[in-house]
Structure formats: structure tokens, C-alpha cells
Amino acid sequence: MRSLEVKNRWPLLVLLLPAMSLAFAYRSRTSVDDIKGLRLITAIKTPYLPDGRFDLEAYDSLIHMQIVNGAEGVVVGGTTGEGHLMSWDEHIMLIGHTVNCFGARIKVIGNTGSNSTREAIHATEQGFAIGMHGALHINPYYGKTSVQGMVSHFETVLSMGPTIIYNVPSRTGQDIPPVVVNRVSWNPNMAGVKECVGNDRVREYVEGGVTIWSGNDDQCHDARWDCGAVGVISVTSNLVPGLMHELMFEGKNPALNSKVMPLIEWLFGEPNPIGLNTALAQLGVIRPIFRLPYVPLPVEKRVEFTRIVEAIGREHFVGDRDVKVLEDDEFVLIGRY
Amino acid sequence: MRSLEVKNRWPLLVLLLPAMSLAFAYRSRTSVDDIKGLRLITAIKTPYLPDGRFDLEAYDSLIHMQIVNGAEGVVVGGTTGEGHLMSWDEHIMLIGHTVNCFGARIKVIGNTGSNSTREAIHATEQGFAIGMHGALHINPYYGKTSVQGMVSHFETVLSMGPTIIYNVPSRTGQDIPPVVVNRVSWNPNMAGVKECVGNDRVREYVEGGVTIWSGNDDQCHDARWDCGAVGVISVTSNLVPGLMHELMFEGKNPALNSKVMPLIEWLFGEPNPIGLNTALAQLGVIRPIFRLPYVPLPVEKRVEFTRIVEAIGREHFVGDRDVKVLEDDEFVLIGRY
Amino acid sequence: MRSLEVKNRWPLLVLLLPAMSLAFAYRSRTSVDDIKGLRLITAIKTPYLPDGRFDLEAYDSLIHMQIVNGAEGVVVGGTTGEGHLMSWDEHIMLIGHTVNCFGARIKVIGNTGSNSTREAIHATEQGFAIGMHGALHINPYYGKTSVQGMVSHFETVLSMGPTIIYNVPSRTGQDIPPVVVNRVSWNPNMAGVKECVGNDRVREYVEGGVTIWSGNDDQCHDARWDCGAVGVISVTSNLVPGLMHELMFEGKNPALNSKVMPLIEWLFGEPNPIGLNTALAQLGVIRPIFRLPYVPLPVEKRVEFTRIVEAIGREHFVGDRDVKVLEDDEFVLIGRY
Amino acid sequence: MRSLEVKNRWPLLVLLLPAMSLAFAYRSRTSVDDIKGLRLITAIKTPYLPDGRFDLEAYDSLIHMQIVNGAEGVVVGGTTGEGHLMSWDEHIMLIGHTVNCFGARIKVIGNTGSNSTREAIHATEQGFAIGMHGALHINPYYGKTSVQGMVSHFETVLSMGPTIIYNVPSRTGQDIPPVVVNRVSWNPNMAGVKECVGNDRVREYVEGGVTIWSGNDDQCHDARWDCGAVGVISVTSNLVPGLMHELMFEGKNPALNSKVMPLIEWLFGEPNPIGLNTALAQLGVIRPIFRLPYVPLPVEKRVEFTRIVEAIGREHFVGDRDVKVLEDDEFVLIGRY
């Protein structure tokens, strides 16, 4: 929106300085095409210690299980990973940790988006400086803005590195209309869109040449095989990475899709990641510790999960302990951390 | 959800320590009834300097105009005041500044809510420690949670002081159902609800004995006079505080309501506070500086505003300069600050 | 250092914007003369809860005892108050809390100094915005700088409000030479110097017309009555405010000075506030909780303190419980908080 | 100080939780011996952009020049690198950036020390989590503490990874006595001491089996060849890395030592890094931008530097532009950033 630029004393140019120097970029730069080809990206869970800090031991184990089961990328600190419950320094540290320990084996996509443009700029700059391969950017949720505001928001960060735009109106209160995506798609860093609005929208984008990841596990099979989505950014793959890999890589498979559907429905009965947190704790791969405002599913749902695991087969789930029904008093809920 | 409390090694009690010592409370404590009686509360605009910091001179002037025109309270750093674009230390400072300069003349309600329970606890504790009279608490937007999660979230902060719960599903992506409000209403600090869902919901709450402020300027007249709302938490009163005061205090007045309706419609044509920011700049009471992701309304809308001012009467609006149409290049948009 | 200002693209003026708008200033502004006349200022202790947060109940009680015993001002978050162990948001909150609860009865001087000019600017701006009456500013300890650097450092903050400069080379590693004080003394906000170098320096400044507070309790009697210091910024007055008041207000009194000297010597046997923290805990006015790197004095010293209290008279000390020797395991040391 | 541990309700153990989980450690862990063998470690300069942010392009170039000239390690954000003028998130980001871009070619030692134990714990935990090879830890400067307090302070961080303790009483106001070093030397993570007190102290430590780096460039030749120091943590090597490498690796060389001495004396005429910042700007390898409270050396000194460069030989200095005398108005001093 050129016309908004200030021509006199306070040029926009000064206030929005070139976001990042380029020297380190050529060393660590992931190409946009490397991101565009990823079929299975897991929105990874962040596990906690009893005092609320990150449980990096459990985290590293979760990532390791993703790698060996075929996930090609992780979103660090997404809504699933509860980035909105992290301080920014925790968040950036977790991105840096993931890059340092696993960056050679899996693509690390930092959820450095924010409803505050300032925070998005700062976090994205830091994330790329410490080696993340791509950024996930949400539109300004809660505060919301105009179409022009969305475009301006995304433009401040697109210069920094490969970027996936994330549209989830059921969380943000505001759809990113295709006009916004089209207006920023000229940018060479624009990798594509994680789209949750549905497969009609997926098809529309794909036909226009935009790379799409489904953001809905229950629709991702069809998105991939019927609508042209490149793959999925998945929650369910935290639990059954091998099955989700099969679903994305091995061709159309409605039988398998139907098999995992009860799990997906169970997972999203309450806002994500409530179900996921409960499930991973019951699988024994994380401690049963919740940062508020998340609380575990009630005991009936916890029992139901064990039946779902049995039906699908324990061997398809992460971890190697027996799945068990945790008691109420085994969970720890933390407000200060 | 008592059963979730931990009985063994990590008691919830330890992790959720008594939120606040009581010594200062009796000195500065505002009673919940003082809050419950407020009819006109303005969700005050936060103005900026060219480098993006707060323009406290303009801010003080805005508050002063609210006081002399009859507003009884202000929400500091609400969505209108762009609390989501502040760092927490800026936010708490602004609350403390308002208390220090104006606390004897107007009730200061700090928007210390957050989608992160940790942040809500920390900010609310700090806000009451520095003298704010009440807190505004949103449910966990964007991240969302279960009904039980909402209850737990609100319960961590209700012990700290008089509290208004804020329901605006069009921003948060999730309605606060009445069952949540009812489950926390036993708390003596519960002052009431700022409700944006509509006047049927308002009536339902009022009949159940819950104090309600309308969160929709276009419905507040009817909410107040037909549905039993105590008043409004208003955006429009930033511009025409006297008229909004009349609307809330002087009895049913559909003519006046109709008179301001074109202004209200103009204001909310794009997500608030885009219209408000544009309007206040054109009235000459703030500098035309926007923190991204907000951008000014386009010039047609800016022209339209001057006509609305003429129609209602310049004398009803804040400030004493002529309203003018600002040019594109008079606006400054800031991403780093 | 005018010659360093940039004349071309990046003017210093832009980067060091006018620090603060003036609107609120005239409302809350304390005159420099109000600060210059204070004879007894206590560098107040910050007490803690078992989880390391501030114990505001105990704090309010400590301040109350200062007021009733004649202290005219407090330094909030000084080295005694362990400002260097606070996050800035905690620090500013404590200043705001003190202003809000006690600002009408005692002058609140915020230790908003830092070895980082950026932090000093930000904190001082915030402190004055929320109503503190004066700022205490240290030279850049640890990092150190040149004479010109010190002058530039102090000049960035002096515009904001009444200021006391603090010289304590035994902590900072660097003396503030009189040339620095003289170069900033033209500033109308310059209230004076808290000087720890000794009474010869005090006399030199006083003869030059600079207002001085002794920063050494063991020298303050002579500083006040022989060298022309206006008073003291005291640690010992946390314990015996009435006696320190007598020492500063009631005329030369070498007998009283000798009487409190064993207490002062005991207090400063280890770096302050180790002795003070131990003493207040034994007097029962704070919980025996230490933020690391501070640890309690050993038991021999704790026993010695009770004898000193007896010798001077329990009634001169704050609190009304019997002084007792705390056991090792009654102390809590906290590293994470 | 076992006896201080709490045996009842608030165990120290709970409050000082195991600092770090071990999972990632075995993957990325540098052995203490890898640190102990480093002879030339450069306390690297942090260069800035005109708005005060890090100039990562210039930084990467500085690190590159260190690597090709034989430096084996860098201290990131030391006093030379102005860590005390960084926010912690900037600081950790710079460590992560260095690890990510250069960690395979040079050892990255993060200065994650602080006078606040809380900050030291948090930063060190983050630094090791993102892959730094070692930590540099200062005693609590400015705030100071007792011998027992120093021991407790260092013990909270030593569990996290290879650690160098830094003693520089001229900055901290307090010597770390050998008793402290001896009491923590049992810890397998204890790599050694950067000692600035002088070569008698160096010799004493070396005889006791403690690994020592000289922290004084003017004494490092003798420390290395006469007193048994393993090497130096150097400021001067920012300018002449090859010569410092020769001094540490190629045997006793008093002639070379004398040759660089005028440069060293010039560098430390004012508190470091004032001289270094001025010199690097004149060599054209960084922009002439200073974060306050640092200011450039006066013009006479800037002229003197060019003569020193000539005398030693431009080819020994970093960069390939002609050294030049910068004018006053070419420097930018920044207070807000």
C-alpha cells in the first residue's frame, strides 16, 4: 500500500528497517522448494516437567519417534505445541534446541506468528537467525484487522525466509480470504498455506498454483488424494506417525482413513491439544502435566481412548508402554511456571 | 474440578500459591459493588508517538475528556486500546499511570486477561498491586479450551479483586456459555459480564441476577433500557462521550440512538479499532500513528467520517479542532517499536 | 559531547527521542527541592514469599513502620532491596505499588538505574509515568565506561524527573569523579549525590553546593553534622528507624552514634543485604527466605545479633516479636522464582 | 552448605529442580576436556545496525576472520561483546546463531553468567539447550555476596555443562578467592578459570591443578609461557587474531609480545570495549555505532590508532580496507534500541 508510506520526516522505511542482514542466510538458508515438498509435518507436542518448564528429554524422544516413523517436518510451538502458553524466549529456545539436535534430519518450522506484528517480526527474525528452516504465520487473531492490515502484517515477515501462512478461522475469528494470499504470493519466500477452512478452499488454491497443507486431520486424506494438497500439518501424527505417513505417501487408502477416523474424532472432541495431551500421557511418553488453561479429558474419555488404541493396534502408537487410564489425581495442572 | 487436584507430591496448592497477600488490599480495595454500578465505561484508545511508544500526553487528554463528559470507568489496554499489541510491562505501566493520575476520579479497569493462564495471573496480580480497581478477563482466545478449562482459568484470577468477564466469540473463536459464568458467580469478586453475543443473552443473564454490560454499541441502548443491562463498555464513547452518557443515563431515547447509529456502523465497518484510530486522528486529538497490523481506513471512508461528524454535530465529539480528511502520507505505520 | 551528534541520516535526536511527554508531569511532579530536603531515606528491604515472589503484606508493614518512625523517603529496589535480583516488570510494579499505597505519606525514590543505558531509560520513564517522586541512578557498574560515557549515560535520564546520582565504587568498580557530577549539575532535575567514597568527598561536594546523602551508615552522623550532608540513605534504618531519625534530626549525638555502631558493623560484615536479611528474619518481620546469591549469616553471627538487639534495646527495633536465633533449616534459599 | 537445606515444607530440592534433563545432552555434549585445551579464545565484539539491533552480517564476518586466523573459541556476549547491554533473548539468540552457523568450526562459549542467580540459571539452561559448548560464569558483581553465596551461586549452574569461572575484581568489586574455586572444583563440569588478578594468582592455580586462561592481554604471554596458563581469553585478538595465535602457540616470543604491547595499552586506556569498538570501526569491519553508555575514543586517540596499525602492519589486522580516522559525526550513539 504504497500510498500509506510517509514521505516526510518519519519514513516507513526507517521504522521498518530491512529485517535481517543476509550474511548468515546463504549458509543456513533452506530453499522454499525444500519446504514445498514436505508431505507429513507434525505439529509437535511440548511436554512439561512438574514445575512447568519444558521436559526436553521427553521432547527429544517425541521428535526422535517422528523422525523414525517418517515425518519430514515439525512445527515447533504451534497451537498444538502450545506456543501461546510460552514466553517468547522459551519459544525461540525450543526452536533453537530442535534445530541444534535434529535440524539435519527433519525440517524445523517455527511458529513465529503472532497477532502482534512487532512480536511476529522479532520472533521470526530470531528464529531464522538460529537456523529454523521455515516460519508458520497466522493472521492477527483476536485483535483482527482489515484485508489491507493482513497483507501488511504478512509482508513484514515474508522477507525473512520460507513461510507457510496458517488459516484457521475457528480459532482466529477471521478467515484469511484468498485475496490476501494472492497479494503476497509473488514473494519468493511464500511456501504455501496451511488451510483449515475445508477441501473446497484447498482445491481452489491448488488450481491457482498455491501449495496447500491440510490443517484438518479428518480431511487430509481427501485433501491429498482428491484435491491436490501436498500433504498435512498434523496433530494425529503425534500419536500414530507411521499411519499418517502411510496416508500421505502410499496412495489413496479410504480403509486406512476410516480406521484412524475414530481416533481423530476423539482427539478433537474438545479443543486441541486437550485430547492429544491426555492421550500422550496415557501412552506413557510424557508426564501428565498440563499448563492451564488446558485440563485433561474426563475419565470416560480417557477410558474410551484405551479402547481406540486397542482397536487400531498399540503397535501403531508412539511409545512402548501399555496404554493406561490415568486417575484424576495423577494429573498436575500448573498456572504459574 | 476438585478431583483433579493432586494429593501427593505436587499439590496444586503449591503450584497455585495464594495469589496475593492481603495487606495492601484493604487499603486500596474497590468493592465489587463500586464496579457493578458503573453505567458508562469507555474502552479507551491508546495513542502513540512516532516511534511507537505511548503518547502519554495525548492519552491523559483523552482520559480527561472522558471524565468531564461523564464516563465513570475506563478499560485500559482492552482490544480497543490494543492491549494485545503491548508488551506486558507497557501494559501494566499504563494501568499504573492511569491509576496514579486519574484513579481518584474514574474507575480504572485493567484488561489483564490473556489466553495464557500464567500471563493472566501475573498481570492481574501486578495490576491490583498497583491499584487498579477491577480486572477484565477474556476466555482463552485462539488456544481455546474446554468448559472445565475456562472455569479453571477464571478461578485462578478471581481471588485477586473485582472482575468482569468478557465474552466476544467473534474474536475468541469460542463462546463462554452461561454454565461457565454460573459456575464462577459464587465468587464475591465476580462483578459481571461484558457480553457481545446479543440482547437475548443479556436478558437471560439479567434474569439470573448477573450484572451485564453490553459490549456492542449498536445494541447498548436496548440492552440498557429493555433488557436490564447496567450499562455499556463502549468504543463509541471515545468519540462522543457525552452522547453515550445521555444514552445510558437519561432514559430511553430511540431518537438519540438512531442519531448515533450511522457513526457506530461506520466505526465497525472494519475490525475495531481501525475506525476509531482513523476517527481520533482526523479529530486532531491523537497523532495519526498506527501500530501494525492496524492500518487506516481508505480515503473514501475518511471522507465519510467528516460527513458523519457534521451530521451529528462537531460539538458532541472530543477535541476542538476542525475535523479533517487526512492524506495517506500523513499516516505512519509502525512494525518495530 | 555535541560533536558526536550525527548531522546526517541518523540524528541522535531521532534515536534519543524526547524521553517523556509532559502532560502528566505537571500533575504528579515532585519538585527537586522536595527531594533535596529529605534527611532520612531508607533503602527498603524487599521481603519474599516461599516461592520467591514479593511478600507485599510484609513489605507494606515494613514501609508502615518506616513512616511511623520518621523516615521521609524510601529507595525501592536499591541494592539493599535487591533490585538487581528483580525482573524489570517486578521492579516497576513494586515502585507503582509503593506509590499507590504510601505515596501520599513518604517520598518514593525508584532505583531505576542500570549499567545498560537502554534499561535505565526504559525503567526511569516507566517509574515516573506511574508516579515515583525521584530516581536513583548508578554509573554503569561492571561494564564501566569513560567519563564522557558516564555523562552521556546520566544525561539520557536526567530530563525525566528529580534524580539522585549514586556513587559506590566498591560495588561498581569505578568511581564517579566530581567532574562528572559537575558536568550534569546544571540540569534542574539534579537533586544530589548519594556518596559512599567518604566524608572528604562529601565535604568537597557540599562546599561546591551539591546536595549530598551519605551512603555509609557508619559515617552518616559525621557527614550530617560535620560535613554538611543533608542526610543519609540508610540500610540500618530498616532495623532502627527511630534511632536513625534521631541521629539525622536531633543534633550532634556521638553517644547515640557509638551506641548503634556495633549494629552497623555487624550489618556490614558481609556484603549488604546479607546481614539485614538475616536480622529482619530474626526479628520476625519477614519470612526467612533468600533469593540467591544471598545466603544467611552463619549461626555465630545470628547469635551475635540477638546480643546486639539486647544491648541497644528491643524496643528500638522494628516489629514486636521476641528476637530469636533461627536454625539453619528454617531458611529457604531460592534460585528459580 | 548442607545445613541450610530445608528439611520440611519447602525443600530446596523442589525450588532448585534438576536444572536440565539429560536427553539432548549426550547428543550435543562437549566434553570438559575439549574446553580445557583451547589456547586462543576471543571475546568477540558484537556489531550493531543503525537502529541498535545486531548486525549479523558483520558479526558473521568477524567470526569468520577469527576462524581463519586460528582462534579456537569465542566468548559470545562477554563484557567485550557487551552482553550486559543485551536483553537475554537477544543474548541467547546470538549464542544460538553462532552455534548454528559456526559451531562445527569453533567452540562457542556463552557468557550466561549474571549477578542474579535466577538469570544465570535460566540463561545457562537455555544456552546449553541450544548447543553452546561451554558457559562463562562471573561472580555476582555489584550486588556481591559472601563466600558461601558465591559457592551456592556457581553450584546452581555447574551441573549444566562445561564451565569457565571468570574473575575480574576491577569490574565486579569483589575478588573470587581461591577457596571458592577450590570448593567447586570437584564438579566434573568445572573447566577452569579466566583470571584477571595477575600472574601470581595464575601460577598458584596452575600448581594446584586448575586450568587457567589469562584475562589480561598484556600478561598473557608470560601467563602462558612462564606460569602455566593454557591460553588467553583475549580482546586484542579481535584485531590481530593471527598475532595472538602466534603468541599462544609458537613458543616464547618476547619480541612479538613487545610489538603488540602498544596496541594493548591503547586498547585499555579507557574501559574495554571502548577502544576495541573505535578500532574496529576505523578498520572498516563494523559500522561506527555504539550502544550507550559506550562512546568513541576522542579524535587524538583515533589518530594514534592509525599510527599503531602502521607500526604493527595493516596486514596483521582484520579487514582489508585502509584504516582511517573517523570524524566525530560519523559515529552514532544509541540509547533506545
Side-chain angles (χ1 to χ4, degrees), chain D residues 297-317:
Chain D
L297 287 177
V299 68
E300 316 83 71
K301 286 287 172 186
R302 304 202 295 261
V303 171
E304 196 180 319
F305 177 69
T306 61
R307 295 207 192 101
I308 291 170
V309 173
E310 259 172 69
I312 294 177
R314 176 67 184 90
E315 69 280 12
H316 295 297
F317 285 76

Side-chain angles (χ1 to χ4, degrees), chain C residues 3 6 12 19 84 87 90 117-118 125 142-146 170-171 270 292-294 328 331 333 335-337, chain D residues 3 6 12 19 87 90 117-118 125 142-146 170-171 270 292-294 328 331 333 335-337:
Chain C
S3 59
V6 178
L12 188 60
H84 50 291
S87 61
E90 285 184 312
T117 306
R118 163 169 67 172
E125 196 168 85
Y142 185 55
K144 305 202 287 191
T145 188
S146 61
S170 65
R171 286 185 181 277
E270 292 286 356
L292 287 171
Y294 295 117
D328 280 358
F331 289 96
L333 313 185
R336 297 182 189 276
Y337 47 92
Chain D
S3 58
V6 178
L12 189 60
S87 61
E90 284 183 313
T117 306
R118 163 167 69 172
E125 197 167 83
Y142 184 53
K144 304 202 288 192
T145 187
S146 60
S170 65
R171 287 186 181 277
E270 293 286 356
L292 288 171
Y294 295 116
D328 281 357
F331 290 96
L333 312 184
R336 298 183 190 274
Y337 48 90

Side-chain angles (χ1 to χ4, degrees), chain B:
Chain B
M1 194 176 184
R2 208 178 49 78
S3 60
L4 280 174
E5 284 172 19
V6 177
K7 283 149 202 154
N8 43 15
R9 239 187 74 208
W10 293 97
L12 189 61
L13 197 70
V14 171
L15 299 161
L16 293 171
L17 270 181
M20 176 69 55
S21 61
L22 296 171
F24 68 87
Y26 72 85
R27 288 192 195 92
S28 57
R29 175 64 57 95
T30 307
S31 85
V32 172
D33 289 339
D34 289 343
I35 301 297
K36 281 184 172 176
L38 304 172
R39 295 209 183 283
L40 179 57
I41 300 171
T42 296
I44 196 78
K45 158 72 183 164
T46 308
Y48 305 115
L49 294 171
D51 67 352
R53 282 181 300 141
F54 298 157
D55 182 346
L56 291 178
E57 182 170 11
Y59 178 82
D60 289 358
S61 171
L62 293 178
I63 300 272
H64 182 73
M65 292 185 288
Q66 290 300 316
I67 291 171
V68 299
N69 284 292
E72 303 162 286
V74 283
V75 170
V76 177
T79 42
T80 302
E82 301 177 3
H84 50 291
L85 304 187
M86 298 176 186
S87 61
W88 274 113
D89 75 294
E90 283 184 314
H91 198 145
I92 298 297
M93 180 277 266
L94 193 61
I95 292 171
H97 172 74
T98 313
V99 169
N100 184 56
C101 293
F102 304 102
R105 290 188 286 160
I106 198 164
K107 290 284 173 277
V108 179
I109 296 161
N111 173 30
T112 55
S114 173
N115 61 349
S116 159
T117 306
R118 163 167 68 172
E119 294 187 21
I121 290 173
H122 187 68
T124 307
E125 196 167 84
Q126 292 202 327
F128 280 116
I130 60 172
M132 72 178 183
H133 305 112
L136 184 69
H137 278 290
I138 194 78
N139 53 316
Y141 52 86
Y142 184 54
K144 303 202 289 193
T145 187
S146 60
V147 162
Q148 177 56 43
M150 284 192 219
V151 170
S152 298
H153 178 79
F154 290 130
E155 282 181 343
T156 62
V157 290
L158 267 164
S159 60
M160 299 182 190
T163 300
I164 299 172
I165 285 180
Y166 179 22
N167 189 32
V168 58
S170 65
R171 286 186 182 276
T172 61
Q174 189 175 33
D175 183 41
I176 306 176
V179 63
V180 168
V181 170
N182 294 337
R183 277 182 58 190
V184 301
S185 283
W186 62 269
N187 192 304
N189 283 325
M190 174 70 180
V193 177
K194 175 184 178 188
E195 183 57 78
C196 299
V197 158
N199 283 346
D200 289 345
R201 181 73 68 85
V202 171
R203 193 177 284 112
E204 179 188 339
Y205 274 130
V206 169
E207 283 166 5
V210 179
T211 301
I212 300 293
W213 291 266
S214 174
N216 298 330
D217 284 337
D218 61 343
Q219 300 181 324
C220 72
H221 174 267
D222 297 351
R224 168 85 179 90
W225 301 111
D226 296 340
C227 308
V230 67
V232 65
I233 298 182
S234 177
V235 175
T236 309
S237 58
N238 277 281
L239 297 169
V240 288
L243 297 185
M244 294 307 287
H245 183 267
E246 196 176 339
L247 220 49
M248 289 296 105
F249 277 83
E250 308 288 324
K252 213 159 172 168
N253 191 342
L256 178 57
N257 197 36
S258 300
K259 186 178 173 186
V260 297
M261 204 53 71
L263 173 63
I264 294 173
E265 280 163 7
W266 181 90
L267 263 180
F268 295 93
E270 292 286 356
N272 178 54
I274 288 177
L276 179 65
N277 292 350
T278 307
L280 288 168
Q282 297 205 159
L283 290 168
V285 294
I286 63 164
R287 289 176 165 92
I289 296 162
F290 283 63
R291 283 184 174 187
L292 287 171
Y294 295 116
V295 296
L297 288 177
V299 68
E300 317 83 71
K301 286 287 173 186
R302 303 200 297 261
V303 170
E304 196 181 320
F305 177 68
T306 61
R307 295 209 192 100
I308 290 170
V309 172
E310 258 172 69
I312 293 176
R314 176 67 184 89
E315 68 279 12
H316 294 298
F317 285 76
V318 293
D320 45 23
R321 299 191 197 163
D322 286 344
V323 61
K324 63 172 185 169
V325 178
L326 291 169
E327 298 302 313
D328 281 357
D329 65 5
E330 293 181 88
F331 289 97
V332 178
L333 312 185
I334 307 182
R336 297 182 190 274
Y337 47 92

Side-chain angles (χ1 to χ4, degrees), chain A residues 27-40:
Chain A
R27 287 190 196 94
S28 58
R29 175 63 60 96
T30 307
S31 86
V32 172
D33 289 339
D34 290 342
I35 300 297
K36 280 184 172 176
L38 305 173
R39 295 213 181 281
L40 177 57

Side-chain angles (χ1 to χ4, degrees), chain D residues 58-78:
Chain D
Y59 178 82
D60 289 359
S61 172
L62 293 179
I63 300 271
H64 181 74
M65 292 185 288
Q66 290 300 315
I67 292 171
V68 299
N69 283 292
E72 303 163 285
V74 283
V75 170
V76 178

